[in-house]
Amino acid sequence: MTQFKTLLNLAGDHLYTLPLLVLYLTDGCNSRCATCDIWRNPRRNMPPALVDALVESARRLHTAWVLLSGGEAMQHPEWPAIARRFRASGTHVMLLTNGLLLRKQAQQVIDSVDEVIVSLDAGDAPTYAAIRGVDAFDLILEGIAAVRAGGLPVTTRTTIQSANFRQMPAIIDQAQAAGATLVSFLAVDVSNPFAFGSRFTPALPPDTIPLLPAQPAAGALSPAEVDELALLLDALERDYAAAFAAGRIAESPQKLRRILLHYFRALHGQGDWPRPPCNAPHFSTVVEVDGTLRPCYFLPAYDRLKPGAADLPQALNGAEARRLRHAYRTGQRPECARCVCPLYKGARQLLSLS
């Protein structure tokens, strides 16, 4: 019955189950990234009453996967207990982290989650410090090695931008030397007005969404750098053929060209946006630290749960939530065309999450 209900998610805009739940446990962060200012905000932690309600909602919605995010999830003082509560109900728990606390809390991570996703935005210490604002490159690699020694799978995720695209080979080498199970890449987001918002933003009609800036924002590759990236991706496909074939790099060479090369070219008007397939809002949702709900990282908020009376199943199928799902599904949300982090699950994959 649960699997049948999960398939019904794809038939319309009503959610019957929620295979994936993404939680912003805190909106504080101990990095100082050049492309993000969330760390400037006073830190707020998800309150216990909201966590209690979400654990119960996950049970009612047959949630199979929970992603602990933020901010920096490991700055929430109760994050291990929260992770274990979800695991106790049979949920697969993933921890998305900048890795700064990974080595220090390695045993807690090993004891509390099922897999780890670590941001690794450089292939050497100086570049890491310039991008992330902290001198912690070796610390991150040591943390990866520590949790891998405990048997946990670790994915590194790199946001490609002008400061680090030339280091893609070094990033692969460093991640694999530290024992990472999988290496993944995505493009820096330079245009979305909703992504990783730290305060409630009401849904805007599609025709009011801000257009791209006249000049691409900081982090975007220049036209000359895009040409250089094309050659680099050709070299990656040749030099790392074994890693691609073995599945140690998450994206195929063809996908890397689509999500990086074609994306940065489109920023300069040198081609169409590589509109990616995505149906994430039909099997997942994002809950921010204060209960704000988003269909995904990159679409606007549609509701807010009250910690003492949070009813996620009801909120998921409110009028605004269903309207947003219908709008993105029918191509009415232009920001989806330039999304840097699409997630698509077909019926067979979706059933595997049930």
Side-chain angles (χ1 to χ4, degrees), residues 5-130:
K5 287 182 177 180
T6 299
L7 287 180
L8 284 178
N9 286 358
L10 303 181
D13 299 310
H14 186 98
L15 294 190
Y16 298 87
T17 67
L18 188 69
L20 173 61
L21 177 61
V22 181
L23 303 183
Y24 286 9
L25 291 186
T26 177
D27 58 6
C29 189
N30 47 359
S31 286
R32 299 292 183 268
C33 297
T35 57
C36 175
D37 62 359
I38 193 172
W39 54 272
R40 298 180 186 275
N41 296 330
R43 189 175 85 198
R44 300 174 298 171
N45 295 325
M46 184 173 283
L50 181 55
V51 173
D52 293 342
L54 291 171
V55 171
E56 173 59 19
S57 292
R59 184 192 63 79
R60 292 164 57 197
L61 289 162
H62 305 283
T63 298
W65 296 65
V66 167
L67 176 65
L68 305 181
S69 182
E72 170 48 47
M74 295 180 72
Q75 283 199 305
H76 191 297
E78 300 298 325
W79 81 261
I82 293 170
R84 290 193 293 270
R85 289 186 65 185
F86 281 105
R87 286 185 83 192
S89 65
T91 305
H92 183 98
V93 178
M94 300 171 288
L95 174 65
L96 177 60
T97 176
N98 61 26
L100 294 179
L101 297 172
L102 207 54
R103 186 184 68 182
K104 181 178 180 180
Q105 299 186 30
Q107 193 57 53
Q108 290 174 291
V109 173
I110 293 165
D111 293 340
S112 304
V113 306
D114 297 291
E115 63 177 286
V116 182
I117 303 166
V118 183
S119 297
L120 182 65
D121 283 338
D124 61 39
T127 306
Y128 182 92

Side-chain angles (χ1 to χ4, degrees), residues 106-288:
Q107 193 57 53
Q108 290 174 291
V109 173
I110 293 165
D111 293 340
S112 304
V113 306
D114 297 291
E115 63 177 286
V116 182
I117 303 166
V118 183
S119 297
L120 182 65
D121 283 338
D124 61 39
T127 306
Y128 182 92
I131 292 173
R132 305 292 294 192
V134 292
D135 183 9
F137 180 70
D138 291 335
L139 178 66
I140 305 304
L141 296 178
E142 291 166 5
I144 292 172
V147 297
R148 281 295 295 131
L152 282 186
V154 176
T155 296
T156 61
R157 182 162 294 165
T158 302
T159 301
I160 292 300
Q161 51 195 285
S162 59
N164 68 3
F165 78 96
R166 297 180 183 90
Q167 294 195 339
M168 289 179 71
I171 290 168
I172 295 172
D173 293 343
Q174 292 280 10
Q176 292 187 339
T181 317
L182 195 63
V183 179
S184 180
F185 299 96
L186 73 162
V188 63
D189 178 44
V190 298
S191 62
N192 190 287
F194 306 115
F196 308 102
S198 60
R199 297 293 184 266
F200 183 76
T201 306
L204 300 176
D207 59 0
T208 67
I209 295 172
L211 298 175
L212 286 172
Q215 296 296 324
L221 275 64
S222 69
E225 289 173 331
V226 174
D227 292 339
E228 191 177 345
L229 174 65
L231 297 176
L232 186 148
L233 292 177
D234 289 343
L236 276 184
E237 182 174 15
R238 179 191 66 238
D239 298 340
Y240 290 85
F244 282 115
R248 295 195 299 272
I249 300 174
E251 299 79 19
S252 67
Q254 295 74 27
K255 185 174 182 179
L256 285 177
R257 290 187 179 93
R258 176 172 62 79
I259 66 174
L260 298 178
L261 186 61
H262 298 168
Y263 174 82
F264 287 119
R265 281 179 173 163
L267 278 174
H268 296 286
Q270 297 177 351
D272 295 331
W273 292 100
R275 188 182 184 95
C278 180
N279 60 355
H282 273 74
F283 64 84
S284 67
T285 200
V286 173
V287 184
E288 296 188 10

